[in-house]
Amino acid sequence: MSAILPPESRVWWKQPVDRVEGMWIALALIWSLIMFFMMPYWHVFGKQNLSNEAYRTTPEAFSAKAQAMVDQYTVRTETEQKIPVVRPPAGSDVYLISRLWQWWPILELEAGKSYRLHLTSMDYLHSFSLQPENLNLQVIPGYEGVVTITPTRAGKYSVVCNEYCGLGHHTMVSSLYVVNK
Ligand code: CUA
């Protein structure tokens, strides 16, 4: 028996399944069912799979909303690209744009307050990974993903792109601030 030559008996699919092979098939089936039911389980009992909403959007429509927030609530700029740090009012809708290879703007949120975080991509698939919280959200072009977040601990968090998006993927990092009032 060889993997590259054609099988000796042409009607190989009618041969009985070996006991060991049957065992592996059963094991794989059981494991895939466990993985499948872990998804709803983690949604309810885990802390990482958030309930989210998604709407169709366009880069123009989304950047208009992000720009309006930046124009109103920028408190300073950071990094050599002068990325605005925005401190929107507690409880408001906040917008974050991802694109090759940047997050824009930088958000500064208040601990203990809830925000509606809107995410989109201007070009390709990116992923919003918040460290060290280990929160992961795919950021999909053409869609506006919305999650309600309530930061609990003040500090400087890192936003990392968690979906390979080309040569500058590893440079697609940013910050997110959580401050006490
Ligand atoms: Cu964006 Cu990787």
Side-chain angles (χ1 to χ4, degrees), residues 67-175:
Q67 189 66 56
M69 177 190 74
V70 167
D71 290 345
Q72 238 185 320
Y73 303 116
T74 297
V75 288
R76 59 179 187 276
T77 58
E78 270 187 19
T79 75
E80 47 208 72
Q81 297 115 301
K82 300 246 178 300
I83 306 220
V85 178
V86 182
R87 191 164 176 185
S92 65
D93 287 85
V94 298
Y95 299 88
L96 188 58
I97 288 175
S98 65
R99 59 187 166 219
L100 299 177
W101 287 287
Q102 188 189 67
W103 298 95
W104 190 94
I106 295 170
L107 298 170
E108 190 169 285
L109 309 176
E110 212 178 290
K113 296 286 176 357
S114 293
Y115 296 84
R116 303 243 309 151
L117 172 64
H118 298 242
L119 292 155
T120 200
S121 162
M122 296 286 121
D123 36 53
Y124 303 104
L125 185 63
H126 301 284
S127 177
F128 173 86
S129 172
L130 189 70
Q131 301 296 338
E133 289 300 308
N134 202 18
L135 190 76
N136 280 298
L137 300 164
Q138 284 215 315
V139 186
I140 303 161
Y143 285 90
E144 178 165 346
V146 189
V147 276
T148 303
I149 53 163
T150 311
T152 50
R153 277 182 291 123
K156 184 182 182 181
Y157 295 82
S158 296
V159 175
V160 181
C161 180
N162 201 18
E163 196 74 63
Y164 182 71
C165 56
L167 286 181
H169 164 69
H170 63 289
T171 65
M172 196 168 161
V173 287
S174 184
S175 308

